[in-house]
Amino acid sequence: MRNVLRFQFSKGPEVRFLSHLDVVRTMERALRRAHLPIAYSEGFSPRPIMSYGYALPVGILSEAEYGDFVFARKIDPDEFVVRYNQHLPQGFRVLRAERVADRTPALMRAINAASWSVLLRGQGTEEISKRLEWLQGVDSFVVKRETNKGSREIDVRPLLYAVVGVQTVDTGTVIQCYSGLGNEANLRMNELGELLGFDHLSAVITRTGQFKKVGDHYYSPLGNRG
Amino acid sequence: MDKRLMPLLPLVEKPARYTNQELNAQHKDWSETAVKVALAFPDIYDVGMGHLGFKILYALINARKDSLAERVYAPWIDLKALLEERDIPLTSLESGADLLQFDLVGFTLQHELSYSNIIAMLDLAGIPRRSKDRRETDPLIMAGGPCAFNVEPLADFLDFVVLGEGEEVIHEILSAVAKKKLGPRARDVLLEQIAQIKGVYVPQFYQPLYTEQGDFAALRALHPSAPARIEKRVVADFEHLPYPEEFVVPYVEVIHDRVMAEIMRGCTRGCRFCQAGMIYRPVRERSPQILKEQIARLADSTGYEEISLSSLSSGDYGQILPLIRDLMADYQGCGVSVSLPSLRLDSFSVELAEEIQKGRKTGLTFAPEAGTQRLRDVINKNVSEQDLKDAVQGAFQAGWSRIKLYFMIGLPTETREDLDGIVDLAHQVLRWGREFGTGQRRPEVTISVASFVPKPHTPFQWMAMDSMEVLRSKQSYLKDRLRHPGIHFSYPKVEESFLEAVFARGDRRLGNVAERAVDLGCQFDSWSSCFRFDLWMQAFEQAGIEPAAYANWEPGFFQPLPWDHLSPGLQADFLRREWDLAHKEVPTPDCRWENCSNCGVCPGLKVTNSLVEGTDLA
């Protein structure tokens, strides 16, 4: 049986502009510095055996990124967290880790939704509250989505599952919401911006959670503490 | 990082180039450090981060109590436009400080097509372009690297230039700057002191003179502290030089992103077209013992997945095979591979490549440089037909299916036969591939043909570069004959090589041209997507300078050359002797294994070749 650890990590402001591939490379190098016994694939060019959830868009912060590492030998999850954190660069932090069964579904299959927190700097709640009120009565919102294969029209309204909070903070207004994530139903950051009426490039957006949404229930890929 | 960049970053490509906070970056306290140095690379982060010289200097400077070093790269055109639009100056990565706040800004001169970026970076930083216009408080602009050996085209923009190896002279410079006295003329006084450091050239203390016909005639020293000839610096003890224990580990993908061990410095193969082989003498190997320690420290502090054994010709390192075997034994288990950046054309290289590429046989690259044995003798590329045959057949037998061969056109004495030699070789390699290949993949050969640029301080410095017309016709001659399934033909633009030649062989008058080119919008000239030959030609016209008079200039043997005062230590008649031997098609053996070729470097600079014990005298 393989020794698989699933862990949750955060991506802070120092590293918010890293691409998914940059993150993967950084994770690999930190493993080597920490002398953690990651398992390598067979073959001519052995690769560390690891997998991640859906790529975080460049520029977005996160409190809930997930990874699966396969180790060559059994390793204690708590010891992993301590040792790995000592070697991760500033801006990355492993929050928790658990041993998972070898046959656990891959992260990509354990995730289909995300929660977000959006900070609109220097803005009051009034405008956004109005927008939300309006949005409640809207059941279709069609935008143009650019893809590699050209652009197509898509209704993004059903992809915004819920807005659960609008709060005033010192620096502005924070919106908290849930949306679709992944291959089936994915809401992009610019589309979230269009729906809620903000500029996604100047907002401070944080992914606060990733989940498996079943009906109205959201299950975390790590235990059921989501 | 400069906070003002934050709102711009979502708008540009690969923003993580500009965000700093990488592992092992040094953030020293400005208030407690006397001398602040910006190491400025005239290209983007992705290119500059691969430069070993700056990694060494970064570590050396930051290890000093009285000094700090930070990194600066050219912003890519998208960010550059935003900075200009919003009037945000160029800043260092670590502290986000304006370049104006540094005491020294040091540029590395890696190739001639980076010159426009140097001027553009000064502009972005708000530093006056020309030394003579700089104020007391402006940083001193210094430069080093291979192009320092003919830095004349940039002379007006640089306060001082270091020739040769930097590890010792940098301390002398920093100490001089640390002791700088305030007062009127402080900047001039400091420059006078710096001019007296061996290996340092202060261009403003000299004035070039030209004949009535406009030829370069002489360089007149204007100052008592300006030596007539500046000899390059060579470190006394390469083996025990301090080497970085950490490299800054970038987040974005950059070139040469790996542990680099400098296994050897200098090369005495004596290829007559090669400037590096002339200016980096003598050859010195570092012992495997020390290398293994340095590699272990770097592997540990970076976590890199690759170790590269760097030098001008790594296959020549005496203990290369045992070193590779030891490293493979130590690192293979933890997903770390070993690589060699430069391989020669012989069967031994195939053996080496097999050692490090166990199993995965991607392409293998060799550089015969010329198509016939005759021309290879002219250029002293001591590779025989047999070597070539052994190497290529060996590579196919060992399982490689793709071979890349580098050649040059426009070499001295080249004839139609030499071009045909390239064509024949390409077809020959395919035949060998079919005969000796293991059959899993169809053999393929890539022929890459560069236009030869005769460089200063080489035996070919007295020849003219082929005209662009001639080079183009040679390219199309080859193109017609290399149209064949399995053969790929690639060649850089003639215009790029031409501009490189103009500046490589240039004098101080070219400063005006470079400046105008920048004003016209030239930048990132080494990027084909940015290269604007039309604008460059416009700049030459505006400055009233004929570029062909430099690139296609054939100086007489007794004519003064604009780079005569910048000495890599070669004896005056050595290059001339090599020129004669070239034209007699007589090779000169490598002095590390055979007779001294009397180049003059060892007695002149009081150094010797030094090879590690146990080297086979093959």
Side-chain angles (χ1 to χ4, degrees):
Chain A
M1 194 183 123
R2 301 191 308 170
N3 300 293
V4 187
L5 287 191
R6 174 163 292 179
F7 63 99
Q8 180 186 352
F9 64 100
S10 60
K11 190 181 174 196
E14 301 94 328
V15 291
R16 63 187 275 209
F17 290 110
L18 270 59
S19 72
H20 184 64
L21 280 178
D22 297 338
V23 172
V24 171
R25 213 169 24 241
T26 302
M27 291 287 172
E28 285 182 33
R29 290 172 180 172
L31 277 169
R32 232 175 260 116
R33 289 194 298 272
H35 297 283
L36 285 161
I38 191 85
Y40 285 91
S41 63
E42 306 279 322
F44 292 137
S45 48
R47 304 273 314 137
I49 307 175
M50 48 171 61
S51 58
Y52 297 88
Y54 292 99
L56 186 69
V58 171
I60 308 298
L61 306 167
S62 181
E63 293 162 3
E65 296 305 291
Y66 292 92
D68 283 346
F69 285 170
V70 179
F71 287 100
R73 54 183 162 80
K74 208 165 171 186
I75 180 154
D76 174 63
D78 295 332
E79 188 200 323
F80 162 76
V81 173
V82 171
R83 242 167 88 189
Y84 201 39
N85 274 333
Q86 284 167 357
H87 291 275
L88 278 171
Q90 265 185 66
F92 288 105
R93 183 143 198 91
V94 173
L95 306 171
R96 57 191 179 130
E98 269 175 25
R99 186 168 294 126
V100 294
D102 199 4
R103 300 277 167 229
T104 306
L107 277 165
M108 296 269 198
R109 289 179 51 202
I111 292 168
N112 63 4
S115 60
W116 309 93
S117 138
V118 179
L119 168 65
L120 306 175
R121 274 209 211 88
Q123 241 189 67
T125 54
E126 203 170 304
E127 203 177 316
I128 187 74
S129 299
K130 260 194 219 151
R131 178 79 177 190
L132 287 174
E133 225 167 276
W134 168 79
L135 201 61
Q136 282 200 328
V138 171
D139 46 10
S140 168
F141 191 94
V142 176
V143 299
K144 248 201 189 124
R145 180 181 283 189
E146 305 292 335
T147 67
N148 298 336
K149 293 169 203 144
S151 74
R152 64 190 169 98
E153 306 230 302
I154 180 162
D155 183 6
V156 291
R157 178 64 190 89
L159 303 178
L160 178 63
Y161 297 147
V163 176
V164 293
V166 175
Q167 289 166 270
T168 314
V169 294
D170 294 347
T171 46
T173 293
V174 174
I175 311 166
Q176 270 156 350
C177 59
Y178 285 77
S179 76
L181 176 69
N183 300 329
E184 310 272 300
N186 189 56
L187 184 66
R188 295 183 177 186
M189 290 301 100
N190 60 319
E191 294 160 356
L192 179 65
E194 281 189 58
L195 272 166
L196 298 182
F198 65 84
D199 170 27
H200 74 286
L201 290 181
S202 52
V204 181
I205 307 177
T206 307
R207 181 143 85 184
T208 51
Q210 295 189 68
F211 310 96
K212 180 87 182 182
K213 180 177 186 286
V214 181
D216 284 338
H217 293 280
Y218 291 87
Y219 299 99
S220 164
L222 245 188
N224 279 328
R225 285 170 277 172
Chain B
M1 193 194 74
D2 181 359
K3 291 267 175 290
R4 288 168 292 185
L5 295 188
M6 236 344 162
L8 306 183
L9 293 184
L11 311 175
V12 302
E13 191 185 294
K14 273 208 201 178
R17 280 171 185 152
Y18 310 107
T19 52
N20 177 39
Q21 305 281 0
E22 309 106 308
L23 186 79
N24 300 333
Q26 301 290 311
H27 298 262
K28 290 183 75 171
D29 185 349
W30 274 57
S31 63
E32 285 180 15
T33 313
V35 185
K36 290 108 182 160
V37 185
L39 296 174
F41 196 94
D43 207 315
I44 51 170
Y45 180 89
D46 320 28
V47 176
M49 277 298 287
H51 179 48
L52 179 58
F54 267 6
K55 291 182 195 295
I56 292 174
L57 286 175
Y58 187 77
L60 277 177
I61 298 170
N62 281 319
R64 282 175 66 110
K65 250 204 143 75
D66 64 352
S67 306
L68 63 81
E70 301 193 353
R71 295 161 296 147
V72 183
Y73 300 93
W76 184 238
I77 47 180
D78 53 358
L79 181 63
K80 181 171 176 255
L82 289 171
L83 294 179
E84 284 169 344
E85 190 186 298
R86 297 175 197 213
D87 226 358
I88 300 174
L90 184 62
T91 49
S92 68
L93 267 182
E94 279 80 357
S95 63
D98 287 11
L99 293 203
L100 284 170
Q101 292 172 263
F102 286 86
D103 299 290
L104 292 169
V105 175
F107 285 97
T108 178
L109 311 176
Q110 293 294 308
H111 58 81
E112 293 78 7
L113 296 187
S114 67
Y115 291 177
S116 60
N117 275 15
I118 293 177
I119 298 174
M121 285 170 81
L122 291 174
D123 287 353
L124 267 181
I127 299 171
R129 285 177 177 176
R130 290 179 185 261
S131 317
K132 65 174 172 52
D133 299 328
R134 292 194 188 121
R135 302 148 291 194
E136 274 295 312
T137 53
D138 283 326
L140 288 174
I141 309 300
M142 63 174 174
C147 295
F149 286 96
N150 180 22
V151 76
E152 283 307 298
L154 287 178
D156 289 341
F157 310 109
L158 301 172
D159 293 311
F160 67 94
V161 180
V162 178
L163 297 192
E165 297 168 0
E167 284 103 333
E168 289 167 355
V169 69
I170 188 68
H171 291 298
E172 296 159 37
I173 294 165
L174 293 171
S175 298
V177 176
K179 283 187 221 124
K180 179 181 174 181
K181 299 226 167 47
L182 293 174
R185 289 192 68 248
R187 187 183 178 87
D188 288 343
V189 172
L190 179 57
L191 272 178
E192 283 160 19
Q193 286 168 354
I194 288 174
Q196 286 165 50
I197 298 173
K198 281 206 177 71
V200 177
Y201 172 48
V202 179
Q204 60 190 273
F205 291 167
Y206 301 81
Q207 183 194 7
L209 305 173
Y210 304 97
T211 65
E212 274 174 34
Q213 290 77 40
D215 294 329
F216 172 79
L219 194 73
R220 182 203 281 159
L222 302 174
H223 204 280
S225 56
R229 185 181 159 93
I230 299 94
E231 294 280 356
K232 77 162 179 186
R233 293 293 293 260
V234 184
V235 295
D237 183 0
F238 174 67
E239 169 87 349
H240 296 103
L241 276 182
Y243 199 71
E245 302 194 350
E246 303 171 341
F247 285 171
V248 176
V249 183
Y251 288 119
V252 296
E253 217 171 339
V254 306
I255 63 165
H256 308 327
D257 195 14
R258 56 202 182 192
V259 170
M260 281 182 256
E262 193 184 8
I263 62 175
M264 180 167 64
R265 196 173 280 186
C267 177
T268 48
R269 284 273 174 185
C271 299
R272 293 178 180 129
F273 58 86
C274 176
Q275 193 189 41
M278 297 292 157
I279 62 177
Y280 293 124
R281 292 170 175 228
V283 65
R284 289 145 290 162
E285 295 181 337
R286 197 166 264 161
S287 69
Q289 187 50 43
I290 290 207
L291 288 169
K292 280 186 232 168
E293 289 166 19
Q294 293 175 343
I295 290 167
R297 277 195 291 269
L298 278 171
D300 219 48
S301 67
T302 61
Y304 272 136
E305 54 286 328
E306 185 182 345
I307 297 162
S308 161
L309 305 178
S310 306
S311 75
L312 290 170
S313 176
S314 295
D316 287 339
Y317 178 76
Q319 297 288 303
I320 192 71
L321 207 48
L323 177 61
I324 287 176
R325 288 197 175 128
D326 287 358
L327 291 173
M328 301 276 291
D330 290 348
Y331 292 98
Q332 216 172 13
C334 40
V336 179
S337 66
V338 179
S339 70
L340 286 174
S342 53
L343 281 180
R344 280 181 59 80
L345 238 180
D346 51 33
S347 48
F348 180 59
S349 302
V350 176
E351 204 178 316
L352 284 179
E354 267 219 279
E355 197 68 36
I356 57 182
Q357 294 205 343
K358 292 216 161 92
R360 189 174 43 145
K361 305 267 161 71
T362 49
L364 204 53
T365 304
F366 297 116
E369 313 287 6
T372 60
Q373 190 59 48
R374 187 200 64 81
L375 191 52
R376 284 196 294 274
D377 288 342
V378 169
I379 63 176
N380 204 37
K381 180 84 190 185
N382 293 320
V383 166
S384 67
E385 297 286 354
Q386 193 61 44
D387 289 336
L388 229 148
K389 196 170 161 185
D390 290 347
V392 174
Q393 291 183 357
F396 282 124
Q397 275 165 340
W400 274 279
S401 59
R402 270 187 298 145
I403 305 284
K404 185 171 185 180
L405 299 178
Y406 280 112
F407 293 97
M408 283 184 283
I409 49 173
L411 289 165
T413 78
E414 179 188 69
T415 65
R416 174 79 36 108
E417 248 171 65
D418 301 302
L419 298 184
D420 291 337
I422 296 175
V423 175
D424 293 344
L425 210 52
H427 290 280
Q428 183 65 60
V429 168
L430 275 191
R431 279 195 294 276
W432 283 332
R434 284 194 289 268
E435 190 174 343
F436 297 95
T438 51
Q440 287 156 0
R441 293 186 54 185
R442 206 167 55 94
E444 278 178 66
V445 58
T446 298
I447 304 292
S448 175
V449 178
S451 299
F452 172 58
V453 174
K455 290 271 169 110
H457 306 293
T458 69
F460 297 151
Q461 64 179 355
W462 291 288
M463 69 173 280
M465 185 190 189
D466 266 356
S467 72
M468 287 196 279
E469 239 179 337
V470 168
L471 288 167
R472 278 195 211 101
S473 74
K474 287 178 181 174
Q475 284 180 344
S476 64
Y477 182 86
L478 290 173
K479 201 171 164 187
D480 290 343
R481 284 156 185 80
L482 290 171
R483 238 173 259 162
H484 191 276
I487 299 181
H488 309 277
F489 178 47
S490 72
Y491 47 93
K493 275 192 205 144
V494 165
E495 290 80 4
E496 287 172 26
S497 309
F498 177 78
L499 190 67
E500 179 190 336
V502 174
F503 278 88
R505 300 153 62 83
D507 57 36
R508 228 177 253 207
R509 291 173 292 192
L510 291 184
N512 282 328
V513 180
E515 196 175 21
R516 280 161 205 267
V518 172
D519 291 338
L520 291 168
C522 293
Q523 57 182 345
F524 290 102
D525 298 305
S526 60
W527 295 73
S528 299
S529 59
C530 296
F531 183 60
R532 290 287 305 272
F533 193 61
D534 55 332
L535 295 182
W536 272 102
M537 288 306 105
Q538 213 175 313
F540 278 106
E541 210 180 310
Q542 284 180 7
I545 283 179
E546 173 53 48
Y550 291 92
N552 310 120
W553 171 45
E554 195 177 337
F557 289 121
F558 301 102
Q559 201 175 341
L561 301 171
W563 52 87
D564 278 343
H565 59 297
L566 302 168
S567 166
L570 301 168
Q571 213 177 63
D573 58 349
F574 168 70
L575 294 178
R576 180 59 213 276
R577 239 173 20 241
E578 282 294 300
W579 164 277
D580 289 337
L581 290 170
H583 288 79
K584 289 180 196 152
E585 300 169 12
V586 178
T588 297
D590 188 327
C591 67
R592 101 189 82 180
W593 300 307
E594 293 180 50
N595 288 343
C596 168
S597 51
N598 290 310
C599 72
V601 168
C602 292
L605 300 174
K606 299 189 178 58
V607 287
T608 53
N609 285 341
S610 81
L611 308 183
V612 293
E613 299 265 319
T615 298
D616 294 331
L617 294 175

